[in-house]
Amino acid sequence: MNTLAEENYLKAIFKLSGKQKASVSTNAIAVELETKASSVTDMIKKLTEKGFVNYQKYNGTSLTKKGHEIAVHIVRKHRLWEVFLVKKLNFQWDEVHDVAEQLEHIKSSKLVEHLDTFLGFPQYDPHGDPIPNKNGEFPKSFSAPLIDLTIGNKGKVVGVSQDNPSFLKYLDKLEIQLGSKIQVIEKVDFDQSIEVKINGKATHISSEVAKNILIKQ
Amino acid sequence: MNTLAEENYLKAIFKLSGKQKASVSTNAIAVELETKASSVTDMIKKLTEKGFVNYQKYNGTSLTKKGHEIAVHIVRKHRLWEVFLVKKLNFQWDEVHDVAEQLEHIKSSKLVEHLDTFLGFPQYDPHGDPIPNKNGEFPKSFSAPLIDLTIGNKGKVVGVSQDNPSFLKYLDKLEIQLGSKIQVIEKVDFDQSIEVKINGKATHISSEVAKNILIKQ
DNA sequence: TACTATTTTTAGACTTATCTAAATTTATTT
DNA sequence: AAATAAATTTAGATAAGTCTAAAAATAGTA
Ligand SMILES: [Mn+2]
Ligand SMILES: [Mn+2]
Ligand SMILES: [Mn+2]
Ligand SMILES: [Mn+2]
């Protein structure tokens, strides 16, 4: 069995390496996990021993097939628990992440599969993130950050690429939810901020926010 | 915040000290937690520092008010999760204990209270064990071990005082569930075993089993 | 290319929780 | 009461995971 620390490292490497499964720097992992680079080096050596990562001194780390499988499985659990908390226990979408960080480490395959069934095999979590199935396959989704939408075009909010509470609460304040219809009215060259209509109402949004809202046209 | 190990020690002391809140020996704790007496001594010192137990060298350990509160709170979580697993996720009663051992350490008071609400404030877990409410109060229950029932008397099964899978599976085989009606037909002096009628059907039960079935008349 | 800055690794230390073996205390027998 | 047995504590060691400080490697710049 893998320890909690090992699982968190694998998840961090998975998150940082993205779809292209790129190699990840020691520092990037340290920042992601709020730890020190020296601690990361130590742990990577252990994960290499276990066959979960490929590692060459001074040259970054990437997941092996085995490491990738573990990471995806933890992501699956994290997102299923988030769905449970919102849909069944009436949590708000900005309250679930930290609890899911704990629940994702519970070890029982029966629990995960029964939870999935109980929830009706959801494909997306409360932040619009795709939930891999039990074979580790993600639903295909075609979304783009709001910032990439051109003037005049419309889209539907299908996700967010951050789940920290202050960002999510701000979206609540702007009345932006999954499913909200957004049209880009104007783009300000100076600071990349944009003027949008949300469900008919005009609002001004910074580029930082627009980068983290995912749109489907 | 308390560590997982600390919580498990407090729970073990709570379990072993019973209603009278008796003092518990170092060895008893070691046996309960499948660890060594020397490890127990170390941890008890730490728990003493934290004000969770009263401890005098060579004289056993008992919970302080604070330690008692923490232990009861963990028991509450354990039993609520067991209810969730059986009632919502269709687990069998002999499959829930080990998963609940993990889930009981999840830290989020909102989670516990919402779970309690979601389950409809259950008073007993799938093994008939009482669930303390959020103030740590247990529902009053008047049950006695089946072995104490005298010949001719009837009762209803309201609980079991063990939750290891092999015992529970054996009860399933005997068709003994919570709610089953049991009447004592005969008591065998030689080995304390008993002849009973369960929902009308005659069966022979060892004293070891009869000790662990809780009856309400 | 040589100097400097940044990144990464190593060395050594610390904490938590555990263990074995030995010492000490308490309990039980003769 | 003395001897023996059992329970408990202490001493010292180990593994996991982390840290700081220093060394080594790589990248960036003059
Ligand atoms: Mn999350
Ligand atoms: Mn999410
Ligand atoms: Mn249990
Ligand atoms: Mn139970």
Side-chain angles (χ1 to χ4, degrees), chain A residues 3 5 9 35-36 38-39 42 46 58:
Chain A
T3 66
Y9 273 88
T35 184
K36 296 292 143 76
S38 55
S39 307
D42 284 348
K46 198 179 152 199
Y58 295 102

Side-chain angles (χ1 to χ4, degrees), chain B residues 44-212:
Chain B
I44 284 173
K45 283 177 184 165
K46 199 179 153 201
L47 295 174
T48 308
E49 288 293 311
K50 287 198 161 195
F52 297 156
V53 300
N54 304 116
Y55 166 65
Q56 301 260 78
K57 261 194 201 177
Y58 296 101
N59 259 74
T61 306
S62 63
L63 295 174
T64 62
K65 194 169 172 225
K66 214 159 124 194
H68 188 263
E69 272 168 22
I70 296 170
V72 168
H73 185 238
I74 296 163
V75 168
R76 169 167 162 79
K77 289 194 280 181
H78 181 101
R79 294 180 181 170
L80 283 173
W81 280 115
E82 287 191 342
V83 173
F84 170 72
L85 294 172
V86 167
K87 288 279 172 63
K88 302 292 181 178
L89 298 197
N90 294 112
F91 275 61
Q92 301 298 309
W93 73 340
D94 62 292
E95 299 173 319
V96 297
H97 183 75
D98 290 347
V99 185
E101 285 290 308
Q102 298 179 62
L103 286 163
E104 71 190 6
H105 300 290
I106 301 290
K107 282 161 188 70
S108 163
S109 51
K110 183 157 197 164
L111 175 58
V112 192
E113 302 320 322
H114 282 224
L115 183 64
D116 196 16
T117 306
F118 179 60
L119 298 171
F121 307 102
Q123 301 223 57
Y124 298 94
D125 83 0
H127 314 104
D129 292 315
I131 301 174
N133 67 18
K134 89 169 101 172
N135 300 316
E137 298 148 354
F138 285 84
K140 305 160 206 355
S141 58
F142 306 94
S143 64
L146 173 58
I147 194 101
D148 293 350
L149 218 62
T150 48
I151 294 181
N153 280 321
K154 285 178 202 169
K156 202 172 68 173
V157 177
V158 295
V160 291
S161 41
Q162 277 210 9
D163 51 11
N164 80 69
S166 82
F167 174 61
L168 298 175
K169 277 194 190 118
Y170 181 51
L171 294 188
D172 285 341
K173 199 174 145 202
L174 296 173
E175 295 178 41
I176 296 175
Q177 301 146 18
L178 297 198
S180 296
K181 293 223 168 105
I182 294 197
Q183 180 175 26
V184 177
I185 305 297
E186 209 190 319
K187 294 192 138 190
V188 181
D189 243 33
F190 171 62
D191 62 357
Q192 312 296 112
S193 67
I194 58 175
E195 195 71 28
V196 293
K197 262 196 184 164
I198 299 157
N199 296 324
K201 199 167 121 194
T203 317
H204 182 252
I205 284 180
S206 75
S207 73
E208 197 50 37
V209 169
K211 271 181 211 159
N212 288 296

Side-chain angles (χ1 to χ4, degrees), chain A residues 3 16 22-23 28 45 49-50 53 63 66-67 94 105 127 133 148 150 162 171 177 188 191 205:
Chain A
T3 66
L16 294 169
S23 144
K45 283 177 184 166
E49 288 293 311
K50 287 197 161 198
V53 299
L63 295 174
K66 214 159 127 194
D94 62 291
H105 300 289
H127 314 104
N133 67 18
D148 293 350
T150 48
Q162 276 210 10
L171 294 189
Q177 301 146 17
V188 181
D191 62 357
I205 284 180

Side-chain angles (χ1 to χ4, degrees), chain B residues 3 5 9 35-36 38-39 42 46 58:
Chain B
T3 66
Y9 273 88
T35 184
K36 296 292 143 76
S38 56
S39 307
D42 284 347
K46 199 179 153 201
Y58 296 101

